[in-house]
Amino acid sequence: MNRVLVTGCAGFIGSHLSERLLEAGFQVVGIDNFDPYYDISLKKSNLSRCLQNSNFVFHELDILDYQSLLEIEEIEFVFHLAAKAGVRPSIEDPDSYFKNNFMGTKNILEWMVTSGCKRMIFASSSSVYGNTNQVPFIENQITDFPISPYAASKKASEILNYTYHSVHSLSILNLRLFTVYGPRQRPDLAIRKFVDLVSTGKTVSIFGNGDTYRDYTFIEDVVSGFLKGLDYLEKKPVIFDTFNIASGNPIGIIDLVDMIGQTLSKNPKIEYLPMQAGDVDKTFASIKKAKNDLGFESEYSLEKGLAEYVKWKV
């Protein structure tokens, strides 16, 4: 395999994945529409290293524009990361999330059928699990109760992926990603916000009573999960499957802030605010299936990952 497509290539995860694919010798076609959810200059900066590589071809286009997708040729494998991000904003603007995330995925699948591309990895989300008391989250548990339009759009896309697998014999993996962090992280995400606030002596706002917890996953581990998934699909006949990609070691929000303070040698200031709609109480992944089937293991403890992030950011 030589030529792969990365949708959402200018994003946090997409840019890291594109770089790793180029390093591995792939020809990478990247597409992104530079959605203004956050500063476009940051996304353009994310692409800077890829654009210096002669094996990288970039198309600025929107996956909702199906005719533009038809101009892309000779793709052997798709990494579909393009999506409208953010849980809380999806409550304010659900239409755009279903258009971009669900209809956009439909367009990618239709393009695959038309172009003859047979394999895809889809970036799904831990948010599909909703607020469940069944922990750790395992891939075959019921995920019928998402609590935000963003989560619902990801769940709907997983189902659509199965439909195209069944009807058109596409091989597809849904990778459910758990709270990804690291260099180039989106400005609205917790670790980036917390590091910025603690490093400047400002107050960190904690929503709820502080007993929520998350399964934070370092970007390098997530990219490794995608590459393990690629190897897995290469060795299989037509297949559809779902995997958690996570550290498998959740941490409470208060403990996270304390750890950031220790990393920065600062004493965090904290205020408590009411829980916000759409936020789940906890995320906690079982990565047993990913380990057994993909050979995936998390290599980064939170301490190690935070140190890497702080070295990049501060």
Side-chain angles (χ1 to χ4, degrees), residues 271-282:
E271 66 173 353
Y272 293 91
L273 299 175
M275 226 19 207
Q276 295 196 324
D279 283 349
V280 297
D281 297 330
K282 55 185 173 290

Side-chain angles (χ1 to χ4, degrees), residues 66 70 105-115 164 168:
Y66 182 70
L70 293 176
T105 298
K106 186 271 296 181
N107 281 352
I108 293 295
L109 292 164
E110 279 292 323
W111 169 82
M112 290 177 67
V113 172
T114 300
S115 68
Y164 275 75
H168 299 290

Side-chain angles (χ1 to χ4, degrees), residues 31-33 59-66 68-69 100 107:
I31 62 176
D32 205 291
N33 70 340
H59 297 280
E60 183 177 349
L61 62 84
D62 194 319
I63 58 174
L64 292 179
D65 181 359
Y66 182 70
S68 292
L69 289 175
N100 283 275
N107 281 352

Side-chain angles (χ1 to χ4, degrees), residues 56-290:
F56 183 74
V57 177
F58 176 67
H59 297 280
E60 183 177 349
L61 62 84
D62 194 319
I63 58 174
L64 292 179
D65 181 359
Y66 182 70
Q67 292 303 313
S68 292
L69 289 175
L70 293 176
E71 299 174 8
I72 301 172
E73 299 177 341
E74 300 178 359
I75 298 297
E76 299 174 58
F77 196 100
V78 176
F79 294 92
H80 178 33
L81 287 77
K84 202 163 182 66
V87 168
R88 295 167 192 164
S90 75
I91 296 172
E92 302 297 326
D93 185 19
D95 285 356
S96 68
Y97 280 76
F98 280 99
K99 286 177 184 176
N100 283 275
N101 298 1
F102 181 76
M103 295 304 295
T105 298
K106 186 271 296 181
N107 281 352
I108 293 295
L109 292 164
E110 279 292 323
W111 169 82
M112 290 177 67
V113 172
T114 300
S115 68
C117 183
K118 289 291 189 178
R119 288 164 292 185
M120 180 177 85
I121 291 179
F122 171 68
S124 189
S125 168
S126 63
S127 64
V128 302
Y129 289 105
N131 265 334
T132 175
N133 291 321
Q134 181 180 338
V135 292
F137 302 165
I138 56 175
E139 291 86 347
N140 64 354
Q141 72 187 69
I142 293 172
T143 55
D144 290 345
F145 306 102
I147 64 170
S148 70
Y150 170 77
S153 73
K154 287 294 188 179
K155 171 64 176 179
S157 295
E158 288 188 359
I159 295 171
L160 189 64
N161 289 341
Y162 179 79
T163 302
Y164 275 75
H165 156 74
S166 178
V167 174
H168 299 290
S169 298
L170 302 183
S171 282
I172 300 175
L173 296 187
N174 298 319
L175 298 188
R176 292 174 178 165
L177 310 182
F178 282 67
T179 317
V180 188
Y181 73 100
R184 303 182 207 153
Q185 184 174 357
R186 291 197 334 253
D188 61 304
L189 294 178
I191 285 180
R192 182 162 184 168
K193 288 196 299 185
F194 291 173
V195 167
D196 288 348
L197 292 168
V198 173
S199 64
T200 55
K202 297 178 181 177
T203 301
V204 175
S205 296
I206 300 296
F207 296 98
N209 59 12
D211 63 356
T212 59
Y213 58 89
R214 294 285 183 273
D215 197 332
Y216 293 96
T217 316
F218 192 64
I219 182 62
E220 293 296 331
D221 283 337
V222 170
V223 171
S224 293
F226 276 98
L227 297 182
K228 294 285 188 183
L230 183 150
D231 290 341
Y232 182 75
L233 285 185
E234 278 286 274
K235 298 171 184 174
K236 296 288 183 179
V238 178
I239 191 172
F240 176 89
D241 214 335
T242 299
F243 294 94
N244 293 331
I245 299 297
S247 71
N249 293 295
I251 186 173
I253 192 74
I254 295 299
D255 293 331
L256 170 67
V257 176
D258 286 343
M259 189 179 294
I260 289 172
Q262 292 170 18
T263 304
L264 294 168
S265 298
K266 298 274 190 178
N267 292 317
K269 301 174 184 177
I270 298 174
E271 66 173 353
Y272 293 91
L273 299 175
M275 226 19 207
Q276 295 196 324
D279 283 349
V280 297
D281 297 330
K282 55 185 173 290
T283 63
F284 180 5
S286 167
I287 56 174
K288 181 178 180 180
K289 182 180 176 185

